[in-house]
Amino acid sequence: MKLYGIPNCSTVKKARAWLEQHAIAYEFHDFKKLGLDAATGQQWLTQQPWEKLVNRSGMTWRNLSDAEKNAVVDAASALPLMQDKTSVIKRPLLVDNGQILALGFNDADYSQLFAKE
């Protein structure tokens, strides 16, 4: 299982703490250090619409120029932005065997997700 995010993001910190508190093993993928490869981003975009993967309420999106924002109209145009500015990706992103399990963090959602195991 892999948790994608940025170490200093408060929501990522909450997800990591929850996983550790519940003794759930995971690998952390730091977007700032490791980026996002095209194949992974493309795989995510087949599972979730780009509108859910791109955090359009976050500071990174708000700091984009209008031209940059208007250029993102579909998955194909969202992928280069997600690779160039990984902070625009909604986080944390929890993935297992290539499948997105959770986008963002919510204690109740994680509890339900892992209650099955």
Side-chain angles (χ1 to χ4, degrees):
M1 189 165 351
K2 203 178 261 196
L3 185 75
Y4 291 82
I6 297 168
N8 63 349
C9 171
S10 61
T11 311
V12 171
K13 287 179 183 178
K14 289 176 189 175
R16 293 180 81 177
W18 192 97
L19 291 168
E20 288 163 12
Q21 183 180 31
H22 292 84
I24 296 169
Y26 70 95
E27 176 186 342
F28 181 66
H29 181 101
D30 183 346
F31 280 139
K32 292 291 186 193
K33 291 182 181 174
L34 303 171
L36 175 67
D37 65 82
T40 301
Q42 189 58 51
Q43 185 180 39
W44 293 348
L45 287 162
T46 64
Q47 297 175 50
Q48 292 285 334
W50 74 268
E51 296 92 342
K52 284 193 174 188
L53 287 167
V54 173
N55 181 2
R56 291 180 291 167
S57 62
M59 193 58 102
T60 303
W61 178 264
R62 290 195 305 255
N63 287 336
L64 295 175
S65 69
D66 286 342
E68 288 173 304
K69 291 176 189 173
N70 293 334
V72 182
V73 295
D74 56 18
S77 56
L79 183 56
L81 175 66
M82 290 166 58
Q83 288 183 272
D84 186 46
K85 299 187 185 311
T86 54
S87 296
V88 82
I89 301 169
K90 184 162 176 72
R91 57 191 182 266
L93 193 69
L94 187 62
V95 178
D96 192 26
N97 293 320
Q99 295 299 306
I100 296 174
L101 300 179
L103 188 55
F105 172 75
N106 176 294
D107 190 291
D109 291 345
Y110 269 48
S111 293
Q112 184 177 12
L113 179 66
F114 292 103
K116 302 171 192 167
E117 298 187 10

